[in-house]
Amino acid sequence: MKSDRINFPSGFWAGIQQIGVSPHDVAGKAQLPLTIITEPAKVTAAQYFRIWEAYSELVGNAAIGIIKLVTVFEATHYPPTVLATYHARSYRDALNRMARYKQMCPPESLRITEEGELCTIELEWLSSPQLEHPVLVGTTLAFLLELGRRGTGQHVTAHSVEFTHKMSIEEVKPLEAYFGCPVRTGAAGNRLTLHRRDLDRPFTTYNKELLEIITPILDRTLDEQTSRSIPEMVKWTLKRSLSGGHLDIRAVASELGMSDRTLQRRLTEEGTTFKQLLTQARHEQAREYLADPKLDIKEVAFLIGYEDQNSFYRAFRLWEGATPANWRAYYFRLNPTS
């Protein structure tokens, strides 16, 4: 069954090499083939996070790993989705474009909320939050601020930054110096909060002609991806929320911007049901998580929404005709480097 794959940015390798970290060492430590460095690659969520974990371990200090990478990363290495933000009209335009085009680059998405004098950008995860890495989170949030600094040519500072992960004082201090604001760890979410007034700043890098070329291409690509069938959209939504407890059709319909009756009708027209899609989402995510050796089977059961391990075992045997442990053992015999 097809797993969700993530486009890994090729510019990452050039960036870490510039700060003295060997791409070969990172790929090797992440147990990935060296061809990932030289060829465009799509990786699984587990492989994606292993790359970030390997990079973090080789750098040693999470804060240094975050700050060095975002500040050294050259615009020439930006993929088209990021170029469209770098050459936007203003900081607000850039952030909105980033949130829009981030939909094409899982596993994280951006939720932007403007209220009062502040603008909050929160990271949300398609894959399990347990797989997210503090250096990946920090790099994503720092890049959003770096984008504003590079685009406006001004030393924009944040109002506040929050990480769900705990960090040492030695790591927090450099981050506070970089962001120019307090950094809170062990928070309920990963958030960058900006001063709303900064969003109106124009970008000196604004390039109308370039945007007129690449925006229609990106929008067409995004529309092709987001014009997935209603069942695919429901499964995608379910996968983001499986570990959050009971999921009903009303909650999913609300997230998709329609009533539960409308969603039920659309699913019937597609020849499926909400219950079938929930089962498929759990099945696909179970395979994805079992392919990650760092997750034990009890964790996998929880992450796909089962309150007890026995219920997960029964369901998995119906899906695969084998226990989760036997399936995992067979998988690693076939994929010894995964």
Side-chain angles (χ1 to χ4, degrees):
M1 189 165 293
K2 181 181 178 297
S3 297
D4 291 323
R5 292 273 174 165
I6 300 164
N7 289 313
F8 195 79
S10 57
F12 170 84
W13 305 109
I16 64 172
Q17 192 158 31
Q18 281 185 270
I19 62 177
V21 177
S22 166
H24 287 75
D25 289 347
V26 172
K29 199 172 187 64
Q31 298 181 310
L32 292 171
L34 296 181
T35 52
I36 193 173
I37 300 170
T38 56
E39 300 174 6
K42 286 192 174 186
V43 298
T44 66
Q47 291 169 335
Y48 185 77
F49 290 103
R50 286 213 305 271
I51 292 171
W52 283 99
E53 185 174 21
Y55 167 67
S56 176
E57 290 178 5
L58 290 168
V59 170
N61 182 290
I64 300 304
I66 292 166
I67 297 166
K68 279 190 172 182
L69 186 57
V70 297
T71 53
V72 78
F73 208 103
E74 297 177 358
T76 53
H77 294 307
Y78 288 165
T81 50
V82 180
L83 278 178
T85 66
Y86 180 65
H87 294 294
R89 183 184 294 274
S90 66
Y91 196 9
R92 176 180 283 103
D93 183 27
L95 291 172
N96 286 332
R97 287 174 181 268
M98 180 67 77
R100 175 170 170 77
Y101 297 134
K102 199 75 185 70
Q103 297 177 70
M104 295 190 286
C105 311
E108 73 272 34
S109 62
L110 306 178
R111 180 194 291 179
I112 300 177
T113 305
E114 291 190 44
E115 188 173 349
E117 297 180 352
L118 301 176
C119 171
T120 300
I121 309 166
E122 183 166 6
L123 299 191
E124 297 180 332
W125 300 86
L126 171 59
S127 297
S128 163
Q130 292 190 14
L131 291 175
E132 71 185 56
H133 195 282
V135 174
L136 168 58
V137 171
T139 300
T140 303
L141 296 181
F143 179 76
L144 294 173
L145 183 64
E146 186 71 18
L147 176 65
R149 289 175 176 174
R150 293 188 182 192
T152 64
Q154 304 291 320
H155 188 71
V156 178
T157 57
H159 172 271
S160 61
V161 179
E162 297 170 85
F163 291 91
T164 57
H165 295 86
K166 292 285 189 180
M167 293 188 189
S168 66
I169 295 177
E170 291 74 20
E171 291 172 322
V172 169
K173 283 185 176 180
L175 289 173
E176 290 185 331
Y178 174 79
F179 284 104
C181 69
V183 171
R184 179 185 168 205
T185 64
N190 296 298
R191 305 181 187 92
L192 169 68
T193 301
L194 301 168
H195 300 283
R196 200 173 177 186
R197 62 178 181 270
D198 288 329
L199 272 59
D200 295 319
R201 293 179 184 268
F203 267 24
T204 61
T205 52
Y206 174 52
N207 187 325
K208 181 182 177 182
E209 291 76 17
L210 179 63
L211 289 177
E212 287 176 346
I213 295 171
I214 65 175
T215 299
I217 298 172
L218 292 174
D219 285 345
R220 187 162 55 250
T221 303
L222 178 61
D223 288 342
E224 288 172 357
Q225 289 191 15
T226 55
S227 64
R228 294 174 295 186
S229 67
I230 289 293
E232 288 175 325
M233 292 171 64
V234 169
K235 276 204 301 184
W236 187 84
T237 303
L238 285 168
K239 286 180 180 181
R240 292 192 304 165
S241 312
L242 284 174
S243 62
H246 179 68
L247 292 168
D248 58 29
I249 191 169
R250 182 173 297 178
V252 173
S254 176
E255 188 158 343
L256 294 177
M258 63 182 76
S259 70
D260 54 327
R261 291 183 65 181
T262 298
L263 178 56
Q264 184 64 63
R265 176 175 56 79
R266 297 284 297 274
L267 292 178
T268 301
E269 291 171 355
E270 295 279 353
T272 189
T273 66
F274 182 79
K275 185 177 180 180
Q276 287 173 335
L277 294 174
L278 176 58
T279 298
Q280 290 173 21
R282 282 175 163 165
H283 184 187
E284 292 173 20
Q285 285 300 94
R287 290 170 60 101
E288 183 81 27
Y289 292 143
L290 288 170
D292 182 357
K294 294 191 297 296
L295 293 174
D296 64 37
I297 293 175
K298 186 177 294 185
E299 285 180 288
V300 174
F302 168 76
L303 290 172
I304 64 171
Y306 284 97
E307 294 182 359
D308 67 274
Q309 195 171 338
N310 288 335
S311 297
F312 171 53
Y313 265 77
R314 287 194 297 271
F316 197 83
R317 286 183 68 92
L318 286 173
W319 300 333
E320 296 287 342
T323 66
N326 289 341
W327 185 94
R328 169 177 268 176
Y330 181 68
Y331 174 86
F332 285 114
R333 282 201 300 273
L334 296 179
N335 304 275
T337 60
S338 295

